[in-house]
Each structure stands twice: as C-alpha cells, then as structure tokens.
Amino acid sequence: MAFEPRQTSLGGRAASFVSRSFAAIEAWLELEREQLALWVPVGLATGIAAWFLLPDAAQWLAFCCGALATACLGAMLPLGGRLRRLLVAGGLLAAMGCLLVWGKATLVGEAPLSRATFTQVTAEVVSVRPVPAQAMVRAMLRPIDAPNLPSVVRVNIASPDVPEGLGKGAVVRFRTRLMPPAPPAMPGGYDFAASAYFQGIGATGKALRPIEVLRASTQAPPLRARLFAHILHHVDGPAEGIAAALATGDQGAIAEEDAEAMRRSGLAHLLAISGLHVTALIGAVIFLLMRVMALSRRAALDWPLMLIAATGGALIGIGYTWLTGAQVPTVRSCIAALLVLGGLAMGRDAITLRLVASGALLVLCLWPETLVGPSFQMSFAAVTAIVALAEHRRFRAFAASRDEGRMRKIARGLAVTLATGVVVELVLMPIALFHFHKAGMLGAFANLLAIPLTTFVVMPLEAMALLLDTVGLGAPLWWLTEQALNLLLAIAHGVAASPMATLLAPTMSHALFAMVVIGLLWCLLWRSRLRWLGLISVVSGVVSVLLAAPPDILVTGDGRHVAVRMEQGMAILRDRAGDYVRDTFSESAGYEGVMPAIATLPTARCSTDLCALRLTDRGGRAWRLLFTRSDVLIGRQAFARDCAAADIIISDRGLPRWCHPRWLKVDRRLLARTGGLSITLINGEVHTVHRPGDAHPWIFRPQRRTQRTTSPQSAP
C-alpha cells in the first residue's frame, strides 16, 4: 500500500484515464488495421506541404526535427502497439517528404532572372508548342553565350511572326524583354513562379520582330505535334480544340469561352487526359483483343487470353501516356491502370484504395512539387471518392448486377452514375474553392450526359477516324466526331448559362483548406463509424469560407490596377484594364459581374492624375481612399493636403516620405516587398502575396540599381 497510488488520488485517476484511452485507441486502430497503409502517402505529403508553407530553411529544419521527435516519442510507447508504429512511421515519412522536395528544389530547380531586362537573345530551340486559340507559338529556348540569363527561357511568338525553320534544334536571334516568372497577382492566386522553377524556366517574355533563324531545324516535329496539327486540319469550328485535347492532352486550341463553359459546367475534367480517357482506351483494347483471339478455337482453349489482353492494354496505355505529354493525371491513371491489369491477370480484385495510395506515393516520390497543384489534388480526390463510395457495402449492394428488367436496370445505372457524380462534386468543391474561388454545382447532372457521350461516342469515333486516315477514308467519321463534340459543347454552354452553375467564394486561407482536407481524408480513408467525425471539420471549413467577409480593396503587384467593393458590386480604377486583370479581381473577390470605372461612381472625385473615393465598409465606417492615375508630378502643397486627408493611398509610383495617410500607404516600394494585396476594412486585415522572410528559391527579389556618381575631377 505504501508504494501503490491510492485509488482516490489524482495520479491514479490520471493514469487510469490514460491507460483506458490508450487501450481504446489501440482497439480502434486494430479495427482499422486494413486502412492504416492508406495513410503512408498522407505522411509523405505532410512533409512536402510543410516545406511549401514554412518560409525558410530554419523552419524547414525545425519541422524535420519535430517530425523525428514525434517518431522518437512513438518509439517510447509499448512494443507491438499500432499507435507506436503509426507515430514512428508518420514522423519518419513527414521528415522524408520535407527533405525530398527540399532536395529536388536544390538540385533541379532553375533560379529566376535577377531583374527584368531588355536584350537581344541568341538561343537554341528546345521545344515549340502552337497555341492557336491565342494566335501564338510558345517556344522553350536555351540561350547561347549568355551567362547573365537563365539556362532555359520561355518566349511567346505571335503566329504571323513565326519564321520558317523554327523547330527543335534551330538557332534563332531576336529582341525581347525578359521577365522573371510571374508570382500570383493576388493573394491565393496561381503561382506560376513556383511551377516554372520546377520546370526549369528561369524567365519569360515575348519575341519581337524580326526573328532571325541562324540555323533551321532539321528534325521532324514530334508525334504529338503532328497528331495535333492533323486533328485541327480535319475538324472545323469550336470542336477542333476539344478533339485535339482528347487525343493529345494539348488544350492550346480551345477558345477561352468554350474552356470557361467547360469549367463552369463541371466538364473540364474531360479536357485533361486522366482516368476516363486512359480507362476507356485500355478497356477498348482489351475488349478488341479478347474478341479477336476468341475467333481462334486453339487460342480460346489453350492461350491465357486475359493475360495477353491485359499486356496489350498495358502497352497501349503506356504509349498513350507518353504521347499525351506524361502529365500528372495521366501518369497517375496509367499507374492505376497497370496495377488493375496486374490484379486482373492474377485473378484478384485490384480496384481498391490501396491502388490509389500506391499511385499517389509513386507520384509524390517522383514529382513532389505537384502536391500543391490543383491537378494532383483534384485527380486523386476524385478517384479516392469514387473508390471509397464503391467499397461502401450499401452502395455496392445497390449497384450490384441483378436479374431485373431493362428499364429498371437503366434507371439503376443512372442512379449510380448520379450518386457518384454528386459525391465527386462534393469532394472537389473545397479544392476548387481554394484554387479557383469557384465550384461547379450542376456538374453531376451535366456529366450524366457528357461522360457517356465522350466515352462511347466521341472517343471511339475519333480513334476510328485516325485509324481510317491511314488509308484516306476517315473524313465521314471526322464529320460525325465534329457533330458529337458540338453536342458536348452545347451541353456545356447550356449548363454554364444557369445562374446556379457555380458557387463563388473569396480566397480561402491555408489553415481552413488544411482543416477541410484533413476532414475529407478522415471520411474517405477510414471505415468505422468514427470516419464521420471528419464531416465536422469539412462542414466547418466550407461554411467559414462561405460566410467570410470578402476583401474590400484589391491591388495588383505593380500598383496600376485597383478594385474596390461597393454596395452594388465592384469597381475598377482603370476602365481600360484587360480581361485577365478583371478575371483576377473577380476570382479573388468572389464576385461575378460588370466592373465599372471608379470615376463613374457618385462618391468619387477624379481628375486626370488623382482619384478620391469615399467608401463605407460593412460596419458603417466611412473611409477616404486616394489613388494616383498618371506619372505626372503633382504639386507638393496640394498633394500633401490630399495625403493627410486620406485613410489609404494607393499608387504605382514611389510616394514621397512627406506623404502621410491616416492608416496605410501602398506604393511601389511597399509592393516590391509584399506583391499584390487584398484589404478587408471591417477588421483591418491585409493579406499579401509575399510573406516576410520567404526564402523559397523562386521568389523574385528586385535588385536596387546603383546610381553612378561623378567625381569632381571628371565633371564637365
């Protein structure tokens, strides 16, 4: 009794509670033992995400140390426990993920151009990609004898300026203004600079006439480019871009209005070569091979038909993946298809969540940077949702084949397709809101018509047309393909025109997005009833985004373009701003509508050089805003008076130090450090593109120009 804690003591109760909790966790993990392996890619992804979210090397090392400490803590738990293994493996995987992407960024990435420069470039052409929808050609170049330029630059060449002999291996000379790859225009926008860094692109620009070819290309265009041009030659109108994208994965010929309609209607996944296309192609190859071999009695009786057909389908799938550029969704689909074929050849059920986890793990090991892109997240989220739904016992029982009438069987198939589409839309909604600030609401219904049309009509017709083109008889099938694609576009435009087609939301924070993703994974990867606890996290995150106060003021990184939120909508400073700027403002603010000029508002007073605006926030407080609209030097006395009267002043020039607004001065010097801004007035929040101390290697840090000083002796 002297050495044992009393039953009524606090220590005894705490120890008993910890013991019972530990036993309950072990019992739950034992129940979920088949699902534990699915969290292996999640552990690796945690380390990769931490490297992107944390700003500098000190914090990356701190994260790795924390992950290893978690593994050591797990190692101190009793032997044989599943929680012990989970903590050890999770900590090690998280540290490995952070070190993996850190190492790849150090060894493979291309640092951006140190400063914007106007120069003459002599370079060897690495690749050429036509973009007919924008009337230009996009070329990847390797500069020659240019130590101040990155090893690879990307330039756009207007279609009328493309010279003869431009192709891989050619040497060209032209003038251009090279810029570092563009960062996000607004907080939460697409970060092309990070993507370009891992692609090896150090600068971008537009080639100016004349473009001189010093050495013409002697290589034939690659198969993908020839196939792209062949399809555009045989299909006319808006359908040509869709036809080329289905066969090659290149969306450069799709008009922007058609691409936007496909996105709003939830059919954009049909344009990216992914599981639907790879599965349809491999399935068609296996079906044809099985039918052809079954014509021979000896083959049907003696040969392993399924193994031969699966091998043929695998080879075709690998070739199709290579032909379409080996993008992440295509690689993921090809890996999954190969695993499925291997399982079928061995007589096992291979369509499981373990298959999806294996594909995700392989992609993350080879291309860890793809984790933060929408392609990886949406493709794996959709497949995980479909497989998790298919593994649910009640859904499997409902979808199972049975002896029933034709109409009842068709109705059951439509119900299964609709239920799958709804689940996929719900899973993809938070990801779409995070990356694109909009999510499709009617995609499940549009896909009821679009997926069968694409899988069983468009793709077979296009494949047969390409096959018959070898003997010059594909023209009738190309006409049928064009009509089917016009029907697909009609469905997309019809659904996109509905006011309920999309849900708009302002920029979602990383914390809310992480909370939603963890909740989704919790719901999809576990099987017991505790899985539904993840819905609390998902619903809370989505509701927080939808109820969040949208930004009142948006400023681009150069300070030239400003958008403000009014009671009737949003207004823009420069009424001649292009569609790209307007679309950027619309997405970041979660607003879809016409943006008039600020000068036309009744509460604005504008001149050629300045524009003053009185803005009332949602709390009823009045704010005085002042914007500059020209480069003309303004008199100090009048400008100082206006600065002192303004709460916020925004300018694309460097403002003098004696300009003191009441709250915030946004000028060229500030924007060089912060990038684009979003300002919410009711709570005083200011979000920036660049974080203080961000040391990621693709961050462009403008260099100050040193002013030349003239000595008295050399002065004239």
Side-chain angles (χ1 to χ4, degrees):
M1 293 292 294
F3 299 99
E4 294 292 334
R6 299 179 180 178
Q7 295 181 357
T8 57
S9 67
L10 181 61
R13 291 179 179 178
S16 177
F17 174 77
V18 171
S19 178
R20 290 196 303 270
S21 301
F22 183 78
I25 294 174
E26 285 293 334
W28 173 64
L29 291 177
E30 179 66 24
L31 183 65
E32 297 277 11
R33 61 185 180 276
E34 296 294 332
Q35 307 299 108
L36 294 179
L38 304 178
W39 291 87
V40 171
V42 177
L44 194 69
T46 301
I48 298 172
W51 185 83
F52 279 97
L53 291 175
L54 299 176
D56 53 35
Q59 297 194 37
W60 303 335
L61 286 174
F63 173 83
C64 293
C65 292
L68 294 177
T70 302
C72 293
L73 180 64
M76 297 172 61
L77 295 177
L79 294 175
R82 295 194 181 275
L83 181 60
R84 179 180 188 271
R85 302 174 190 173
L86 191 64
L87 291 178
V88 172
L92 292 176
L93 285 169
M96 290 170 57
C98 185
L99 294 175
L100 176 65
V101 67
W102 190 358
K104 183 171 183 180
T106 303
L107 298 175
V108 178
E110 176 66 41
L113 188 67
S114 60
R115 54 184 291 183
T117 180
F118 188 86
T119 182
Q120 179 171 284
V121 177
T122 302
E124 180 182 0
V125 179
V126 178
S127 65
V128 176
R129 174 179 170 247
V131 188
Q134 301 179 29
M136 70 177 185
V137 169
R138 188 162 286 159
M140 300 282 286
L141 308 174
R142 184 175 290 110
I144 300 173
D145 296 331
N148 296 328
L149 297 181
S151 58
V152 176
V153 300
R154 193 189 76 178
V155 298
N156 298 331
I157 306 174
S159 296
D161 301 337
V162 176
E164 293 290 336
L166 183 69
K168 184 177 181 180
V171 176
V172 296
R173 179 187 295 157
F174 54 87
R175 293 177 301 111
T176 182
R177 185 172 188 265
L178 292 178
M179 300 284 293
M186 290 281 106
Y190 173 65
D191 193 351
F192 173 69
S195 177
Y197 177 81
F198 285 99
Q199 294 176 26
I201 302 173
T204 60
K206 181 180 180 180
L208 304 177
R209 294 181 296 177
I211 301 173
E212 183 181 359
V213 178
L214 303 181
R215 186 184 69 198
S217 174
T218 58
Q219 301 184 29
L223 177 60
R224 185 187 185 194
R226 297 199 302 270
L227 182 60
F228 183 83
H230 179 83
I231 294 174
L232 295 185
H233 177 71
H234 285 83
V235 181
D236 297 324
E240 63 179 8
I242 309 294
L246 291 176
T248 66
D250 191 337
Q251 303 180 28
I254 302 177
E256 178 57 32
E257 57 269 19
D258 294 331
E260 179 64 18
M262 296 291 284
R263 288 192 291 266
R264 289 177 58 87
S265 60
L267 302 180
H269 66 94
L270 299 177
L271 304 179
I273 304 299
S274 58
L276 175 66
H277 310 78
V278 176
T279 303
L281 178 63
I282 292 178
V285 171
I286 292 177
F287 176 79
L288 291 176
L289 289 177
M290 291 286 288
R291 292 293 181 180
V292 170
M293 290 187 294
L295 297 176
S296 170
R297 178 179 298 179
R298 180 179 178 182
L301 295 177
D302 300 334
W303 293 4
L305 300 187
M306 189 62 218
L307 180 60
I308 296 174
T311 303
L315 294 176
I316 293 296
I318 294 173
Y320 186 52
T321 301
W322 168 78
L323 175 65
T324 54
Q327 301 296 321
V328 172
T330 318
V331 172
R332 187 266 308 160
S333 303
C334 184
I335 293 172
L338 294 179
L339 293 175
V340 169
L341 294 177
L344 292 176
M346 293 185 294
R348 301 186 62 180
D349 183 12
I351 306 179
T352 63
L353 286 176
R354 288 177 178 252
L355 165 74
V356 182
S358 300
L361 186 62
L362 182 58
V363 171
L364 288 177
C365 288
L366 297 177
W367 303 283
E369 70 278 5
T370 60
L371 173 72
V372 297
S375 176
F376 177 92
Q377 295 173 12
M378 300 187 78
S379 61
F380 276 100
V383 174
T384 302
I386 293 172
V387 177
L389 180 64
E391 288 185 349
H392 196 278
R393 57 184 182 84
R394 293 184 179 177
F395 183 82
R396 178 175 291 186
F398 176 79
S401 301
R402 63 198 69 191
D403 187 12
E404 57 185 355
R406 181 178 297 274
M407 295 303 299
R408 193 176 182 87
K409 182 176 296 186
I410 294 175
R412 186 180 300 276
L414 291 176
V416 169
T417 304
L418 180 60
T420 303
V422 170
V423 169
V424 170
E425 289 292 332
L426 291 176
V427 170
L428 295 184
M429 179 187 297
I431 302 177
L433 289 177
F434 177 75
H435 288 285
F436 311 116
H437 315 295
K438 63 177 67 175
M441 301 296 292
L442 302 177
F445 301 96
N447 279 288
L448 277 178
L449 299 175
I451 289 181
L453 176 64
T454 304
T455 306
F456 301 112
V457 179
V458 175
M459 293 186 65
L461 284 175
E462 190 167 352
M464 293 174 62
L466 289 171
L467 183 63
L468 291 178
D469 274 346
T470 57
V471 293
L473 299 177
L477 291 179
W478 281 122
W479 183 84
L480 292 175
T481 302
E482 182 180 329
Q483 304 311 310
L485 288 173
N486 287 334
L487 177 59
L488 177 65
L489 285 172
I491 296 173
H493 283 280
V495 174
S498 171
M500 298 177 59
T502 56
L503 173 67
L504 299 175
T507 301
M508 181 190 300
S509 68
H510 288 92
L512 280 178
F513 183 61
M515 183 174 70
V516 172
V517 170
I518 292 172
L520 285 175
L521 292 172
W522 192 271
C523 292
L524 295 175
L525 299 187
W526 296 127
R527 283 186 175 178
S528 63
R529 293 182 178 180
L530 290 178
R531 68 192 298 182
W532 303 118
L533 291 177
L535 288 178
I536 300 175
S537 177
V538 175
V539 174
S540 300
V542 173
V543 171
S544 298
V545 172
L546 298 179
L547 297 180
D552 296 295
I553 304 173
L554 296 171
V555 187
T556 58
D558 57 3
R560 285 183 52 80
H561 300 285
V562 182
V564 296
R565 183 178 295 274
M566 310 297 294
E567 294 182 359
Q568 299 81 10
M570 296 199 71
I572 195 169
L573 178 62
R574 302 178 188 270
D575 55 353
R576 295 184 179 180
D579 293 337
Y580 173 78
V581 174
R582 294 177 181 272
D583 292 342
T584 300
F585 283 145
S586 297
E587 292 178 1
S588 298
Y591 170 77
E592 194 170 36
V594 179
M595 291 187 185
I598 291 178
T600 63
L601 300 178
T603 57
R605 295 182 297 104
C606 297
S607 66
T608 306
D609 306 318
L610 291 175
C611 196
L613 175 67
R614 185 181 178 87
L615 179 65
T616 304
D617 64 19
R618 284 175 289 275
R621 177 182 173 181
W623 295 77
R624 296 174 181 268
L625 310 181
L626 183 65
F627 315 101
T628 63
R629 302 205 301 172
S630 72
D631 296 331
V632 177
L633 184 64
I634 306 172
R636 174 169 180 169
Q637 183 177 1
F639 193 42
R641 183 185 65 248
D642 292 338
C643 283
D647 296 299
I648 301 173
I649 180 170
I650 301 173
S651 175
D652 60 345
R653 65 175 80 172
L655 295 176
R657 299 186 183 278
W658 45 260
C659 177
H660 297 291
R662 296 176 180 175
W663 183 51
L664 182 62
K665 180 170 72 173
V666 179
D667 63 351
R668 184 174 57 193
R669 299 184 186 92
L670 177 68
L671 292 172
R673 301 193 306 268
T674 64
L677 300 177
S678 66
I679 304 171
T680 305
L681 296 176
I682 192 171
N683 50 17
E685 289 186 359
V686 180
H687 297 278
T688 64
V689 169
H690 301 314
R691 296 171 294 173
D694 196 335
H696 285 98
W698 57 82
I699 300 298
F700 171 64
R701 297 171 180 84
Q703 297 181 350
R704 294 184 178 180
R705 297 184 178 181
T706 57
Q707 296 182 354
R708 297 182 178 179
T709 58
T710 305
S711 61
Q713 291 79 5
S714 61

